[in-house]
Amino acid sequence: NAGVTQTPKFRVLKTGQSMTLLCAQDMNHEYMYWYRQDPGMGLRLIHYSVGEGTTAKGEVPDGYNVSRLKKQNFLLGLESAAPSQTSVYFCASSLPVEGAEAFFGQGTRLTVV
Amino acid sequence: DAKTTQPPSMDCAEGRAANLPCNHSTISGNEYVYWYRQIHSQGPQYIIHGLKNNETNEMASLIITEDRKSSTLILPHATLRDTAVYYCIVRVPFYNQGGKLIFGQGTELSVKP
């Protein structure tokens, strides 16, 4: 099993450009999450999904959109990138069981110039 | 949301036990305490979790106070490879934002020879 795989691993964008980050998991998990991590800080929840076709906002959703068309994939989109979105983005997945482990991907380092 | 407070950094001698404290005084009765670690900005790696009782696995032990307002992660025999940022995390129930993990700022543990 690959677990949680994120693509790309690195990306540099110009202000105003758009891009999509892909998260794929092969553990048949219902719940998926997108977090961002800024320097010296813990992770903050952007959006999450409790199942195929459903998404919801987290703590810091502004400037991002998400889609979950297939159970195994969770996409994070930036329509018009801003320097404030320079961050490391992590995807995670979990079974919807209290006390379950959340599995994280290796991250996407995004720089917006 | 419940908040966790950890010392920003700690040192530990190789082969000795590392005891990492965490305060979570606003935790609710149905919220779990999780510990993850992050090495070189890689994806967070699960260590252990608990609700009320002390827990032990092959990596670590988790001691939770009776009032649940604080906990301690114990790495019994620290090695150089345990050098990482350790996050004490509160996980909310799944009906609340999909069981999101609430990260604090973490403790940077340095294991020294």
Side-chain angles (χ1 to χ4, degrees), chain B:
Chain B
D1 284 345
K3 180 180 176 181
T4 61
T5 305
Q6 301 174 250
S9 62
M10 293 182 64
D11 289 340
C12 178
E14 188 178 18
R16 303 297 293 270
N19 295 274
L20 289 82
C22 177
N23 286 320
H24 33 78
S25 58
T26 59
I27 194 170
S28 298
N30 55 0
E31 293 175 339
Y32 281 76
V33 177
Y34 281 69
W35 284 82
Y36 278 73
R37 71 182 183 184
Q38 192 174 30
I39 300 173
H40 297 312
S41 297
Q42 296 175 10
Q45 176 189 18
Y46 169 82
I47 301 172
I48 198 167
H49 74 278
L51 183 62
K52 298 179 182 178
N53 300 322
N54 298 337
E55 302 288 345
T56 296
N57 63 20
E58 64 278 3
M59 288 183 67
S61 295
L62 174 60
I63 308 299
I64 303 174
T65 58
E66 192 170 343
D67 62 9
R68 302 188 73 239
K69 293 184 177 181
S70 65
S71 61
T72 301
L73 177 73
I74 302 172
L75 307 178
H77 305 287
T79 70
L80 298 178
R81 289 180 296 178
D82 291 323
T83 293
V85 178
Y86 287 77
Y87 290 101
C88 172
I89 295 162
V90 169
R91 188 170 198 179
V92 303
F94 281 92
Y95 61 78
N96 180 3
Q97 295 202 321
K100 70 177 180 180
L101 298 167
I102 303 173
F103 285 75
Q105 295 198 343
T107 295
E108 187 168 6
L109 176 68
S110 295
V111 180
K112 301 183 184 299

Side-chain angles (χ1 to χ4, degrees), chain A residues 37-109:
Chain A
Q37 184 176 31
D38 298 315
M41 298 181 64
L43 282 65
R44 292 182 293 168
L45 183 66
I46 306 172
H47 286 279
Y48 66 99
S49 168
V50 301
E52 182 178 318
T54 70
T55 63
K57 294 180 180 180
E59 304 165 50
V60 289
D62 294 343
Y64 305 96
N65 56 75
V66 288
S67 64
R68 184 107 178 261
L69 300 179
K70 294 183 179 181
K71 185 177 183 179
Q72 63 267 33
N73 295 336
F74 195 26
L75 279 63
L76 178 70
L78 287 74
E79 291 186 346
S80 179
S84 61
Q85 294 178 303
T86 293
S87 190
V88 182
Y89 293 85
F90 290 100
C91 176
S93 71
S94 172
L95 290 171
V97 174
E98 301 296 350
E101 176 183 345
F103 293 81
F104 284 83
Q106 289 304 295
T108 295
R109 185 173 296 276

